[in-house]
Amino acid sequence: MDYNYLYKKGMDILIKRMHFKPTDIKLTGSVALAMYGLQPQREPHDIDICVRQNSESLGCLKFIAEVFQTNQRSTLTNVYAFQIDDIIFNVWVEDDVTTAITDSATGVYIDTPMHIFNTKKSYNRLKDIKDLSDIAKLILS
């Protein structure tokens, strides 16, 4: 799978099929970095999003939990993980998902690179350190 496919199909699933409001979604992680041209060298395998904590979004997550198998990821806390079709989603619930960048094609918010860098750094996982190294090399080349 490539980053563009993950983003387009993931947003289609969340907005059209699961009925999340675009303004309640913030794309984050490696797929968001790819939107800025800062994609890591590894092939993506999931899509990371944050949803606004409100009754609509929580209702959508409740529906997903009832219909699709969801689980709590052991390496991360407070994240819903589920698969719909061939897309694996990691979803965090936050009070505020707004950022300065909005994707005009979908209406969803795109997390800032600096916030994603800091989050990846805080996880201190090998794959995140490698992602940051790949991006640093890309920027410095």
Side-chain angles (χ1 to χ4, degrees), residues 14-131:
L14 291 177
I15 295 167
K16 293 181 181 173
R17 290 175 48 194
M18 298 297 122
H19 305 288
F20 281 92
K21 290 182 185 175
T23 53
D24 286 341
I25 299 171
K26 176 175 69 175
L27 179 69
T28 191
S30 297
V31 176
L33 289 173
M35 300 284 290
Y36 294 104
L38 300 171
Q39 64 223 39
Q41 292 180 357
R42 68 179 170 83
E43 185 173 312
H45 63 279
D46 60 20
I47 187 166
D48 299 324
I49 64 166
C50 301
V51 296
R52 185 185 318 270
Q53 183 169 326
N54 60 31
S55 59
E56 293 89 0
S57 293
L58 294 176
C60 291
L61 284 174
K62 181 179 177 192
F63 171 77
I64 289 168
E66 290 172 0
V67 176
F68 300 93
Q69 182 178 359
T70 62
N71 60 15
Q72 189 73 16
R73 296 272 306 262
S74 60
T75 57
L76 302 173
T77 57
N78 301 322
V79 60
Y80 293 87
F82 54 88
Q83 182 171 344
I84 299 175
D85 297 342
D86 59 340
I87 306 293
I88 298 169
F89 294 88
N90 296 314
V91 181
W92 288 262
V93 178
E94 296 184 350
D95 291 331
D96 185 21
V97 297
T98 59
T99 62
I101 310 296
T102 304
D103 178 26
S104 60
T106 62
V108 304
Y109 294 102
I110 310 296
D111 207 352
T112 62
M114 201 61 185
H115 184 260
I116 298 167
F117 296 157
N118 288 333
T119 301
K120 283 184 166 292
K121 187 176 152 190
S122 75
Y123 289 156
N124 200 29
R125 299 179 300 186
L126 184 58
K127 77 176 195 103
D128 294 312
I129 292 167
K130 181 158 177 12
D131 286 352

